[in-house]
Amino acid sequence: MTPKLKVLRVIFDGEMRPSEIPALRGAIADKVGQASVLFHNHIESGFRYRYPLIQYKCIRNHPALICIGEGVDEIHHFFSQKDWSVEISGRKLPMKIEHLDMNQFSMQVWDREFSYRIQSWIALNQETYREFQQITEKTQQIPFLEKKLTGNILSMAKGIGWFIEKPIKTRITDLADPYPLKVKGLYVTGFRALFRTNVFLPDGIGLGKHVSLGFGTVQQVKNDRAEKTTITETTEEV
């Protein structure tokens, strides 16, 4: 049976910078309360090590939320508040809805491939970063990262309760040079890439590490542009 996945995207008015996403997450989590675990992913024993079902984004310099699966049901904890405004960086954001869309997707492995770009992708941990440093040729770096990307897709699928039984194909078609990203006061290695896979991925979801903070955002590249697009044409949006 093909699983169905609900995805809610909400873009609010007001302006913010991508670097303020952690502050946005903290402000919204405080407003809804610690009992709503999906907003902050912390539990009594520590951290909830599962794919985040509420992801905080900065889309065209606006605060945004991507709610996935159970996260769609949980968002009522925020919308039921009398006052949606939050304070970040010493200023108040009114958080009035500028755009909202809800979609339901059939999650499956297809006989054809889809094209995507991924931004601010944190693909590596400390151990795999050391392995990556030993690889000097991009022709060898790409297969290494393709395995990580496939693993990220499998982790996402497991997090939404979808256990993939068919083989996944993942091909990185263009890879920009790695660059530093600041996460929780520390710098990590980020990637931008174009890739193709036979797994359908909803626009806006994240893959890799720290996706709740807007990293690793995936966007589909439409078929008529997929073969012509290069990573240098893409814009950074988390």
Side-chain angles (χ1 to χ4, degrees), residues 33-38 40-49:
Q34 294 300 305
S36 301
V37 174
L38 295 187
H40 52 77
N41 284 317
H42 287 90
I43 55 179
E44 287 186 9
S45 58
F47 192 77
R48 174 184 176 273
Y49 289 100

Side-chain angles (χ1 to χ4, degrees), residues 87-125:
E87 186 170 318
I88 65 170
S89 305
R91 71 185 191 283
K92 192 173 185 178
L93 292 180
M95 299 294 281
K96 295 179 181 178
I97 294 176
E98 181 176 278
H99 177 83
L100 182 150
D101 59 64
M102 166 81 86
N103 292 286
Q104 181 167 277
F105 301 98
S106 296
M107 302 302 293
Q108 59 182 302
V109 178
W110 294 74
D111 294 329
R112 65 185 183 93
E113 294 181 338
F114 302 88
S115 297
Y116 301 95
R117 61 174 174 262
I118 186 167
Q119 311 276 13
S120 303
W121 176 36
I122 304 175
L124 308 174
N125 56 28

Side-chain angles (χ1 to χ4, degrees), residues 121 123-124 128 131 143-153 208:
W121 176 36
L124 308 174
T128 53
E131 293 179 43
F144 183 87
L145 291 172
E146 285 173 342
K147 291 180 180 178
K148 305 306 173 189
L149 188 54
T150 298
N152 293 164
I153 293 172

